[in-house]
Amino acid sequence: MSEDERRARRPGACPWAGEDAPPGLRHVGGYDAARAVLRARGATTQAGFTAEAIPRGALQHHPILLSDGPQHDEQRRAAGRRFAPAFVDAEYTGTMVALADRLVGAAVREGSCAPDHLALLYAVGVTREAVGLTHAPLGQMARRLERFMRQPPFDLSRPGLGRSRRQWALAAARGLGPLLGFHLRDVLPAVRARRRRPRGDLVSHLLAEGYTVPDILVECVTYATAGMITTREFIVMALWHLLDRPMLAERFLAGERAERFAILHEIIRLEPVVGHLYRRVHTPLEVPGAPDLAPGDLVDVCVQEANTDPRIAGEDPRALRPGRELPRGVGPAGLSFGAGEHRCPGEHLAIAETAMLLERILREHPRLRRPPQVSWEDLVAGYRLRGAELIFPRGATG
């Protein structure tokens, strides 16, 4: 049996491969079939991240993560410019370095830290620079976003997301307060400032495109929460793998940037933060190695299963092997950042900021006193890592 080095292994994570799938739900797990579904432009639309629960008429501009069609194409072009590797390196490297130095330095002086909290502050700090939400203190903004995400579970395959009336009331109670605070203390100050003096950030771009304040609020929530949730979890997961493999950590520190990126791409191939991507079918769709898909079907693309398909990952597909040979056209991260028109535009930013923070942490020779506990997040259909404790010997000894 091939080795399985995944830390986030959810029982029944891809349960609908057989005959027991709920009506209208189709499972796709093979890499070629999964990529074909994600690239089926015009035949499918976004159905993940509760996209179908947001009324289409509520906003003049639907958020980039949830929109489709010509509006999404224009949003993607603009995002592609702001998140292009050269732009990211030129605009955000200084922020990453300064923030990593400040946060890790404080943790070293304390002698220990919770890596999930450090990663939260860092991920929010980098993301808010790109979005333009830099007016409120970082810790306060991070707490608002974290509170906003504490939502009851849901199931995309069931009517009303499978929530009871009590759960919907709880979702509103938990979400409205942080959302109001985010609007008043983060978004509105940014809008006022960028109207007076535009910059190269998201808020300035949205104002130039004629977005209303409610549209900007929703778009900022989308970017901020996506940047916070996914990068935060990946930082902790990558750190966990590296600290458990001293030789790989040494390789990471000694390597050039390309080597560090290769290691991180292999970790996220094995441990995709977004475990499932969902699409709604609108025209009949045939993809190789998958059931015929009919209009109305909800397709569950299991990313972790696709990324560990031995036909593309080769020998020991569930083992961590940076530098493994992949077929032509298969990226080193597999489908962890999606594919097609909804492919994540922030891949380079996520990998670059993770590499920067991990380098700074590892140079302090920390040890993991307590590993994280794995739980699950419905919004991204992926893992959540909490409860770890990181010890810094230099800080502990004074």
Side-chain angles (χ1 to χ4, degrees), residues 312-344:
I312 65 104
E315 185 178 357
D316 290 333
R318 295 179 177 179
L320 185 62
R321 301 288 185 269
R324 69 172 64 233
E325 292 187 14
L326 298 170
R328 183 180 178 85
V330 176
L335 296 178
S336 295
F337 292 95
E341 60 183 329
H342 276 283
R343 178 178 173 80
C344 175

Side-chain angles (χ1 to χ4, degrees), residues 188-350:
L188 278 182
V191 168
R192 296 188 188 110
R194 299 303 180 265
R195 277 177 174 160
R196 292 192 301 268
R197 184 175 298 176
R199 291 172 46 184
D201 52 39
L202 176 69
V203 172
S204 299
H205 166 75
L206 297 179
L207 286 170
E209 292 295 311
Y211 277 56
T212 65
V213 172
D215 290 341
I216 293 173
L217 171 64
V218 174
E219 198 77 22
C220 287
V221 168
T222 301
Y223 272 91
T225 55
M228 179 193 80
I229 295 171
T230 56
T231 308
R232 176 193 195 181
E233 304 305 337
F234 179 56
I235 287 170
V236 180
M237 179 62 81
L239 181 63
W240 190 9
H241 275 284
L242 289 171
L243 290 178
D244 278 357
R245 294 171 172 82
M247 292 183 64
L248 187 61
E250 290 178 11
R251 178 177 162 186
F252 182 89
L253 282 175
E256 299 292 335
R257 191 185 201 211
E259 174 74 0
R260 292 172 185 162
F261 277 30
I263 292 171
L264 294 179
H265 276 125
E266 173 66 357
I267 294 174
I268 204 167
R269 179 199 67 83
L270 190 68
E271 309 271 20
V273 183
V274 179
H276 297 255
L277 296 168
Y278 293 89
R279 297 292 183 267
R280 182 71 65 183
V281 179
H282 294 281
T283 62
L285 186 61
E286 295 182 10
V287 295
D292 291 344
L293 304 174
D297 283 347
L298 177 65
V299 185
D300 169 13
V301 174
C302 185
V303 177
Q304 191 175 67
E305 185 177 339
N307 284 356
T308 55
D309 184 339
R311 288 170 293 184
I312 65 104
E315 185 178 357
D316 290 333
R318 295 179 177 179
L320 185 62
R321 301 288 185 269
R324 69 172 64 233
E325 292 187 14
L326 298 170
R328 183 180 178 85
V330 176
L335 296 178
S336 295
F337 292 95
E341 60 183 329
H342 276 283
R343 178 178 173 80
C344 175
E347 175 178 354
H348 181 80
L349 177 60

Side-chain angles (χ1 to χ4, degrees), residues 114-185:
D116 61 274
H117 181 65
L118 187 152
L120 169 67
L121 294 176
Y122 179 75
V124 172
V126 174
T127 300
R128 75 182 196 152
E129 284 289 333
V131 176
L133 306 176
T134 56
H135 290 76
L138 173 58
Q140 293 179 16
M141 179 179 173
R143 284 193 293 274
R144 281 190 284 275
L145 291 171
E146 193 172 32
R147 286 174 53 214
F148 180 74
M149 295 309 303
R150 292 175 185 164
Q151 294 292 313
F154 61 85
D155 183 346
L156 291 175
S157 69
R158 297 174 59 190
L161 301 181
R163 282 178 174 171
S164 65
R165 289 184 178 179
R166 182 179 180 280
Q167 286 176 317
W168 276 111
L170 182 61
R174 288 181 176 177
L176 290 178
L179 182 63
L180 179 61
F182 186 67
H183 175 62
L184 295 176
R185 298 174 185 174

